[in-house]
Amino acid sequence: MSKKSVAFVLNIHLPYVRHLEYPRFLEEDWLFEAISESYLPMLRMLYKLRADKVAYKLTVSLSPPILCMLTDPALQNRFNSYLELHRELGEKELVRCRTEQPEFLEMAEYYLEQLKQNLTDFNDLYRCNILEGFKSLETSGHLELITTAATHAYLPLYKEYPTAINAQVELAVQSFLTTFGHVPKGFWLPECGYYPGLEETLKYHGITWFQVASQSMLLSPEKVNFGDYRPVRCPNGVAAFPRDYQATSLVWSNTSGYPCDRNYREFYRDIGYDLPMEYIGEYIHQPEVRVFTGFKYWAITGPTDQKQPYDRSLAQSKVAEHAKNFLYNLEMKGDVLSASMGEDPLYTLCFDAELFGHWWFEGVDWLDQVLRLSSREEEQVTLVTPSLFLATENDLQVVRPAFSSWGQGGYSSVWLDGSNAWIYRHIHKSIERMEELAVRFSDQISLKQRFLNQAAREVLLSMASDWPFILYNKTSSEYAQKRLTDHLRNFNVVYGNMCKNAVNTEWLVKAEKRDIIFPDIDYNIFNPQR
């Protein structure tokens, strides 16, 4: 029986957010929610599969900002405080639900148990550093860990600045090597953003493969023999794995994907917005800023405000059904593809890891079922990593992928439209000026070296794809705009001082304490003459 190979590639990334100048900071919850609702539950699931001798293979990309934040003692302490606060809320919810809403008591107990388990795992199992969990799973051969651009920049919009592209790749590889002790083989292209020639920089830094959007094959100047269902080699030998849009959409689509099922939990209905301020006030942000608490008791139900109570047992039956349906779709489609291609297909399925558990509450359970089912001998689907696939499949077509992304429309419209286009003239100018500084003041030492390193750090942080994405979606636009302008303003502090051959020491010390990312950065990375 032929086997259809599946490569799951999960990207773990969040923007670098660290504001120790405040007791609590709203946007730090992005990280804490992801750890609590996605990363820790996913690690528990993967550890359980390993203990049960389930043979599975997954690929996980960890961005440098995530690596920095997950190993930051200050943020680790703040996450513990976040868990303790929510555990306190959970205890309070048990009392309230028993008397006021007994139909929600089962879920209140479930949430409290998960919070207690997260506290135990985080402190006792991982010693506050969950990267140890991913390292262990890599060592046992269940995960392939890879990296992505240094600040998750959308690279096609910086094509004209090769020093900036190189800095994004080089620092990413350096950060990964420092954390995991080896150079990654794969590279997650942020937003699947690819332009012809990018693979040259990747190859220079030891990368052997990357993922691309499906239309990169459809629009290639050469005829691609197997479409999205086999990787190809770029002319320089680096492999490109096209994302299978159709199979991914079974999960990813926000209109027809599995997470839309009416029996699954509603993400947007939360007691942080539903309950009176006198009850919920101490668990939200000051002054009276309502936020998600994670205590959600309603099912999706449908496009209505009149939601049905969430039934976890019913949702779990849907999880099993959807896992079987997913594999069935891959098998049936694979039979047709194998007959027409003369080769068994490879499905490359790329997701943001936060989809599982955070956005789609049942997502971790669904992934667990898919991994368990696919490990059975009678299944026609087998899990691989891209590196493992390349080790056994050497005869790949040589193709030049086309410029593309996984964003709406397939190109750059999400990261370059009327809401955010204004940012690029400023970021591009800061890159040009950073190159100027690196040439004029090459190989500095002591304070000037640190000053210039901070300038490079500010440029890279301004390049993050998160800021234009947030502006485009009009979610936390005020924060995104402030972060962008702050990074650009900070860079100009260095540029202005260095043009006078001076160092603002007081400002530098504060900046270094604020942004601890890339501690080993060398500003000469921006020198186009090196």
Side-chain angles (χ1 to χ4, degrees):
M1 181 186 297
S2 64
K3 288 278 190 177
K4 289 75 180 176
S5 298
V6 178
F8 277 100
V9 187
L10 308 182
N11 182 39
I12 295 181
H13 166 72
L14 290 169
Y16 183 70
V17 177
R18 183 179 187 268
H19 293 277
L20 305 187
E21 65 272 26
Y22 299 96
R24 291 179 64 198
F25 195 79
L26 179 62
E27 282 75 16
E28 284 182 357
D29 284 1
W30 296 343
L31 174 66
F32 303 154
E33 289 172 357
I35 298 173
S36 183
E37 299 171 15
S38 286
Y39 308 157
L40 283 171
M42 189 175 295
L43 282 171
R44 272 198 295 276
M45 178 267 290
L46 295 176
Y47 267 50
K48 182 65 166 61
L49 288 173
R50 184 173 67 177
D52 292 345
K53 308 297 184 184
V54 175
Y56 68 88
K57 300 286 184 181
L58 290 179
T59 302
V60 176
S61 167
L62 293 138
S63 74
I66 275 289
L67 296 182
C68 180
M69 291 189 291
L70 291 180
T71 54
D72 179 0
L75 290 179
Q76 290 170 350
N77 289 335
R78 287 160 86 99
F79 177 62
N80 259 322
S81 298
Y82 172 92
L83 287 180
E84 291 288 1
L85 183 68
H86 285 73
R87 181 171 68 172
E88 179 184 317
L89 175 59
E91 300 283 3
K92 194 173 175 179
E93 274 296 278
L94 290 189
V95 176
R96 187 188 69 84
C97 288
R98 283 194 188 102
T99 57
E100 297 180 14
Q101 293 180 302
E103 68 272 25
F104 296 152
L105 181 59
E106 181 182 353
M107 281 308 297
E109 292 173 338
Y110 176 84
Y111 290 137
L112 179 58
E113 181 57 36
Q114 291 300 298
L115 286 164
K116 290 178 178 178
Q117 190 63 56
N118 282 347
L119 276 163
T120 298
D121 288 355
F122 187 70
N123 290 284
D124 299 340
L125 180 59
Y126 302 121
R127 307 294 187 196
C128 298
N129 180 7
I130 68 170
L131 292 181
E132 295 302 320
F134 291 104
K135 288 180 183 179
S136 175
L137 291 165
E138 180 188 46
T139 300
S140 62
H142 293 87
L143 295 186
E144 176 178 5
L145 301 182
I146 64 171
T147 192
T148 184
T151 56
H152 209 262
Y154 178 68
L155 299 177
L157 296 180
Y158 299 100
K159 177 184 176 182
E160 304 304 319
Y161 297 92
T163 59
I165 295 291
N166 180 75
Q168 286 283 341
V169 177
E170 182 172 326
L171 280 172
V173 172
Q174 177 182 312
S175 178
F176 186 95
L177 175 62
T178 300
T179 304
F180 296 107
H182 64 90
V183 173
K185 295 180 179 179
F187 192 94
W188 173 281
L189 293 183
E191 323 299 354
C192 288
Y194 170 82
Y195 65 86
L198 178 56
E199 65 274 10
E200 298 298 337
T201 304
L202 297 177
K203 182 177 182 178
Y204 179 78
H205 291 289
I207 301 299
T208 60
W209 67 267
F210 59 92
Q211 99 293 359
V212 289
S214 57
Q215 60 268 33
S216 65
M217 300 293 106
L218 300 176
L219 302 177
S220 169
E222 292 94 18
K223 178 184 177 182
V224 181
N225 295 335
F226 302 125
D228 297 340
Y229 300 107
R230 300 278 289 182
V232 301
R233 288 200 184 277
C234 299
N236 72 345
V238 179
F241 284 74
R243 169 178 174 256
D244 178 16
Y245 177 81
Q246 290 183 332
T248 301
S249 295
L250 291 171
V251 180
W252 195 274
S253 173
N254 59 7
T255 57
S256 59
Y258 299 137
C260 300
D261 189 282
R262 60 183 288 113
N263 296 289
Y264 287 148
R265 194 195 68 173
E266 171 63 60
F267 174 81
Y268 293 100
R269 190 75 180 270
D270 188 289
I271 67 169
Y273 292 88
D274 283 354
L275 295 185
M277 190 61 70
E278 57 267 23
Y279 178 90
I280 203 68
E282 59 187 300
Y283 305 103
I284 59 175
H285 284 263
Q286 299 299 325
E288 299 188 351
V289 179
R290 289 184 176 270
V291 295
F292 292 125
T293 65
F295 287 83
K296 309 169 194 284
Y297 300 123
W298 301 95
I300 291 173
T301 308
T304 173
D305 291 335
Q306 304 302 312
K307 303 294 184 181
Q308 293 293 320
Y310 178 68
D311 184 335
R312 179 164 167 77
S313 62
L314 185 55
Q316 287 299 304
S317 68
K318 284 292 183 178
V319 165
E321 177 185 322
H322 287 153
K324 292 175 183 176
N325 177 264
F326 181 74
L327 293 176
Y328 173 82
N329 273 279
L330 297 188
E331 291 170 4
M332 294 300 101
K333 183 178 178 181
D335 288 340
V336 175
L337 289 170
S338 296
S340 61
M341 291 166 46
E343 297 271 4
D344 287 329
L346 168 69
Y347 301 101
T348 301
L349 308 178
C350 304
F351 302 98
D352 287 334
E354 294 76 26
L355 170 67
F356 301 95
H358 176 60
W359 296 107
W360 180 18
F361 178 60
E362 299 80 8
V364 173
D365 295 327
W366 175 87
L367 187 57
D368 173 81
Q369 288 295 308
V370 169
L371 299 185
R372 288 182 185 277
L373 291 172
S374 63
S375 70
R376 300 187 307 185
E377 289 187 9
E378 63 270 25
E379 289 294 334
Q380 297 182 41
V381 170
T382 184
L383 298 180
V384 299
T385 66
S387 292
L388 182 61
F389 187 86
L390 292 175
T392 57
E393 300 280 345
N394 295 315
D395 187 21
L396 301 181
Q397 183 185 5
V398 177
V399 166
R400 290 173 293 169
F403 161 53
S404 59
S405 83
W406 73 2
Q408 183 176 354
Y411 296 106
S412 301
S413 61
V414 171
W415 301 275
L416 181 65
D417 87 328
S419 67
N420 53 36
W422 61 270
I423 73 175
Y424 292 102
R425 64 181 182 273
H426 300 293
I427 299 176
H428 290 170
K429 177 57 73 173
S430 70
I431 294 171
E432 293 168 4
R433 287 182 167 179
M434 188 66 235
E435 291 177 348
E436 175 194 336
L437 291 176
V439 172
R440 288 175 59 192
F441 302 99
S442 62
D443 300 319
Q444 294 292 310
I445 59 173
S446 191
L447 279 177
K448 284 186 177 178
Q449 179 188 41
R450 288 167 51 194
F451 205 37
L452 290 163
N453 285 346
Q454 185 61 33
R457 198 174 283 118
E458 301 287 357
V459 172
L460 290 164
L461 288 169
S462 73
M463 293 173 65
S465 67
D466 310 277
W467 314 133
F469 181 81
I470 291 171
L471 292 172
Y472 175 84
N473 284 295
K474 298 178 175 61
T475 49
S476 301
S477 299
E478 184 177 342
Y479 178 72
Q481 183 167 327
K482 185 178 188 307
R483 281 294 300 273
L484 275 163
T485 54
D486 282 352
H487 289 309
L488 294 167
R489 185 183 298 110
N490 291 338
F491 170 78
N492 285 331
V493 168
V494 180
Y495 183 77
N497 275 268
M498 289 303 296
C499 285
K500 296 181 289 187
N501 203 23
V503 173
N504 186 329
T505 307
E506 180 181 359
W507 178 91
L508 173 61
V509 171
K510 291 180 179 178
E512 289 176 330
K513 288 182 179 179
R514 180 187 63 242
D515 299 324
I516 63 170
I517 193 170
F518 309 128
D520 300 323
I521 193 173
D522 178 1
Y523 72 93
N524 289 288
I525 200 172
F526 276 95
N527 188 338
Q529 299 176 3
R530 73 168 189 156

